[in-house]
Amino acid sequence: MLCEAVSNGVMRRSVLGTFAPRREWIAVLRPNSQLLPDKHGLRVADYAEALYGRAYSYRGALASRVPIVGSSGDGSVFCSQAIAQAFQDYGMPLVPGKLPAQIYPGLLFDSPELTDVTESCIRELGSIADADVYRQLVETAEHELPGAEMRMNRKVFEAVKKELGPDLPEHVYSLPDVAMWLKHEFVSQAPSGPM
C-alpha cells in the first residue's frame, strides 16, 4: 500500500493500482540506507500513517512554491509535505534547512537522503500484449473504495468538529486524531485500581 496526499486527503492506495499515462509523471525515490525502527519502535511508514485522514492543502501546495501565500495552519498537508513530514517525524529531514511545508515535489530529487530508483521499479506498458495488464491496473486504480472512505471520514470529522466546537483540541485534524485524543483523554480520566 501507498500512503499519499491527494485531493480527497491523505489516504492509502494499492501499489498495484498505481500508474501514470506518461512516463515523466511518475518517479520512485528510496532512502539511501535501511531505516530501522526509531527509539519509539516506529518506522517512517508509521509516521506517514499518522497523517491518514488529514485534508489536502491546496493552499499549502501553492505556498511551498510561492511563500508569500502562507500555509493554512489547519493540519492539512499536500503530497510532498506528507512525505517530508513522515521522514522529519522519524528524525530524518529530507532537505536540510527546509520545513516539510516548504518542500515541493521537485526538491525531493535534491534530498541527500534519497536515491532515484524509478527505472528499476516501474514497468512501461505499450504493446498489445500488455493490454490486459494495463486494463487491470486502471480498474484497480479507479476502484472507488479509498476515495469513498476518505470522503466519509472527512464528513464524520467535520460533524464531530461542529458538535464539539471549542472543546476539540487545536491539534486534532482528522478522524484518526479524534480517536487518539479520546483514547488519551479516556485513559487519563479512568479510575485507577479495582472498582
Side-chain angles (χ1 to χ4, degrees):
M1 299 295 286
L2 298 174
C3 189
E4 62 177 346
V6 294
S7 59
N8 286 324
V10 181
M11 63 185 199
R12 301 175 200 95
R13 186 182 297 268
S14 169
V15 173
L16 295 176
T18 303
F19 76 97
R22 293 178 137 178
R23 166 63 187 80
E24 62 269 19
W25 291 358
I26 194 164
V28 182
L29 303 174
R30 290 225 170 108
N32 294 327
S33 58
Q34 182 182 8
L35 303 180
L36 301 173
D38 67 8
K39 63 182 178 183
H40 306 292
L42 301 174
R43 297 180 180 271
V44 174
D46 297 309
Y47 290 105
E49 182 72 18
L51 298 171
Y52 176 76
R54 300 281 179 100
Y56 185 82
S57 179
Y58 291 98
R59 182 177 179 149
L62 179 61
S64 71
R65 296 303 301 256
V66 185
I68 196 167
V69 172
S71 60
S72 59
D74 61 359
S76 58
V77 294
F78 56 96
C79 52
S80 51
Q81 179 189 9
I83 295 165
Q85 189 66 58
F87 276 88
Q88 178 92 12
D89 292 346
Y90 173 78
M92 178 187 285
L94 290 181
V95 182
K98 295 273 188 190
L99 297 172
Q102 298 171 317
I103 299 177
Y104 51 88
L107 279 182
L108 293 174
F109 287 100
D110 297 332
S111 173
E113 303 294 344
L114 302 174
T115 299
D116 186 346
V117 293
T118 306
E119 293 307 317
S120 61
C121 293
I122 65 169
R123 176 178 170 193
E124 192 168 328
L125 304 176
S127 71
I128 194 69
D130 295 325
D132 286 338
V133 176
Y134 181 74
R135 192 168 27 262
Q136 199 172 17
L137 285 173
V138 172
E139 287 172 4
T140 304
E142 291 179 346
H143 191 270
E144 190 57 26
L145 185 61
E149 176 191 7
M150 188 53 57
R151 283 189 295 277
M152 182 205 56
N153 285 350
R154 297 296 313 152
K155 285 180 182 178
V156 172
F157 175 67
E158 292 304 321
V160 168
K161 192 162 82 168
K162 183 178 178 182
E163 183 67 27
L164 293 179
D167 292 334
L168 190 68
E170 288 184 12
H171 68 275
V172 175
Y173 303 115
S174 66
L175 204 53
D177 288 342
V178 170
M180 290 303 294
W181 168 62
L182 290 174
K183 178 182 173 186
H184 291 310
E185 284 295 306
F186 182 75
V187 169
S188 66
Q189 294 178 10
S192 58
M195 294 181 90

